[in-house]
Amino acid sequence: MINVTRSSMPDFGEYCEEIKELWDSHWLTNMGSKHKQLQAELEAFLGVPHIALYTNGHLALEGIWESLNLPRGGEVITTPFTFCSTVHAFVRKGLTPVFCDIDPDTYCMDAGKIEALITDKTVAICPVHVYGNICDVERIQKVADKHHLKVIYDAAHAFAVKYKGVSSALFGDLAMFSFHATKVFNTIEGGAVCFREDELVTKFNDLKNFGIHGPESTLYIGGNAKMNEFQAAMGICNLRHLDREIAKRKTVVERYKQNLAGVPGIRFCKPQKDVTPNYAYLPVVFDGYKKTRDEIFEELKQNGIIARKYFFPLVNDMECYKDFPTSGSEKTPVAKHVADRVLTLPMYADLSAEDVDRICKIILE
Ligand SMILES: *Cc1c(COP(=O)(O)O)cnc(C)c1O
């Protein structure tokens, strides 16, 4: 069986070596030495002044919305073509989603369609770098500046991606990464928020630790979302091998393209200008192909190959959003078109050329 993804892991011995000192210190969580080390390594790797580490990416996103303290009922312009966590995070903090359609080439939010959705209730824009494709960050920032809106990037797919040499961590007001087991870089579960300002990072770190600011001072009604030492140790190991992992992923993507590029009715994402990619996913759109996306999905499954309809259904079609006035994918026709036709194919660093060829053969035949 071939699954859609397989987690990157260091050698067993390397991880054991990394966690050994935890048996000496008996310090398992609460911003211990591994947590601090990974934080510093990630700040250096990403070239960001500050990051805060979380138990997972979703709680990092919730932490952002909680700390911004935007007026309840405020509207956030976002995309339906994403993992539901993007939208759940701010709805759980009392904000309302307004769904913007997507760009037909990058599948990210269509920056040209944002302004028409702005009302006197709009408080923020929450775009997603889908599959690691970088949003039209310049145009989105222009719209945000003009209307005094916050821009929060869900960069869960875009770890290690750069645009014009700048890390995806540095666009908008704040950016969030997920280090879930299925992402390009993992800490088993985990996530981060990236900052440019000192002041904010202290508040975020307090909020993820019950709002405790010091031994006798609790400033906020915070929650608990700290990354523990075992997660951080996994991250320290995985970060050592990240360049090699991404290079291997590139080879896999190239193999897929050798087999499938140019086949009528099969479409890949175009490489983006000025973007250093991370090869996180392999989305293929079956548009006018001899078989439908669903037929291909079933045929692969019969052969023990698990692809994913990612993202289908769209968030604005999910049951839990049906009572929101902005729900319904008929309002986002481009996203609907893509969601009905896209399949992400198995994609991970150690996927062999033979397996890629076998997957492509099934698709072609
Ligand atoms: C994975 C993911 C999340 C959630 O991150 P977790 O670490 O799994 O909590 C949020 N948004 C997007 C787009 C994701 O892919």
Side-chain angles (χ1 to χ4, degrees), residues 20-295:
K20 218 172 182 175
E21 63 192 74
L22 303 177
W23 262 261
D24 300 329
S25 67
H26 287 244
W27 190 296
L28 306 183
T29 184
N30 284 31
M31 285 72 88
S33 65
K34 297 291 165 194
H35 183 114
K36 290 201 184 99
Q37 184 184 335
L38 180 64
Q39 184 184 316
E41 287 183 8
L42 287 173
E43 284 164 354
F45 176 80
L46 295 165
V48 295
H50 310 282
I51 76 166
L53 298 178
Y54 285 79
T55 198
N56 61 52
H58 180 81
L59 285 175
L61 270 181
E62 285 203 7
I64 291 178
W65 296 110
E66 186 173 339
S67 96
L68 291 178
N69 216 359
L70 298 164
R72 269 193 107 72
E75 293 173 354
V76 178
I77 297 173
T78 190
T79 167
F81 195 73
T82 184
F83 184 52
C84 57
S85 164
T86 311
V87 185
H88 286 0
F90 63 78
V91 173
R92 285 165 60 83
K93 299 293 168 193
L95 300 166
T96 300
V98 173
F99 296 100
C100 183
D101 209 351
I102 62 170
D103 179 278
D105 291 324
T106 65
Y107 313 141
C108 297
M109 184 184 284
D110 185 339
K113 291 184 179 160
I114 296 173
E115 260 193 306
L117 299 172
I118 294 176
T119 70
D120 54 4
K121 285 194 185 144
T122 309
V123 291
I125 306 171
C126 182
V128 181
H129 300 302
V130 181
Y131 306 132
N133 291 338
I134 293 295
C135 297
D136 188 345
V137 289
E138 284 137 357
R139 193 159 174 198
I140 290 172
Q141 198 57 54
K142 255 191 214 138
V143 174
D145 290 344
K146 184 172 160 196
H147 297 272
H148 309 289
L149 303 173
K150 296 274 182 205
V151 183
I152 306 303
Y153 277 103
D154 180 333
H157 293 184
F159 185 77
V161 179
K162 286 182 183 167
Y163 172 61
K164 293 184 176 166
V166 177
S167 162
S168 59
L170 287 168
F171 300 113
D173 291 273
L174 294 165
M176 160 279 208
F177 289 120
S178 163
F179 305 145
H180 183 256
T182 55
K183 305 299 206 268
V184 167
F185 166 73
N186 86 76
T187 60
I188 309 170
E189 293 254 11
V193 179
C194 305
F195 307 84
R196 265 165 271 141
E197 298 156 50
D198 272 345
E199 208 182 312
L200 267 182
V201 72
T202 310
K203 181 175 180 187
F204 272 69
N205 280 329
D206 291 351
L207 273 170
K208 77 176 188 211
N209 189 29
F210 309 102
I212 298 171
H213 183 67
E216 296 184 10
S217 165
T218 299
L219 294 179
Y220 312 103
I221 305 169
N224 179 8
K226 307 180 293 284
M227 177 182 282
N228 71 47
E229 293 293 277
F230 290 82
Q231 292 175 287
M234 189 67 150
I236 290 166
C237 294
N238 280 334
L239 196 58
R240 279 185 203 125
H241 308 294
L242 185 71
D243 288 350
R244 202 191 62 209
E245 290 287 303
I246 291 177
K248 284 161 98 180
R249 283 174 172 272
K250 180 175 188 227
T251 312
V252 177
V253 169
E254 281 166 357
R255 191 81 185 187
Y256 269 114
K257 289 195 171 167
Q258 277 168 22
N259 279 294
L260 298 178
V263 175
I266 296 184
R267 199 166 75 229
F268 288 90
C269 286
K270 289 191 204 93
Q272 287 182 287
K273 196 172 167 290
D274 299 323
V275 171
T276 316
N278 66 357
Y279 308 98
Y281 298 88
L282 200 95
V284 172
V285 171
F286 296 95
D287 199 352
Y289 189 57
K290 60 187 174 187
K291 296 278 177 187
T292 66
R293 183 269 310 270
D294 290 356
E295 286 167 337

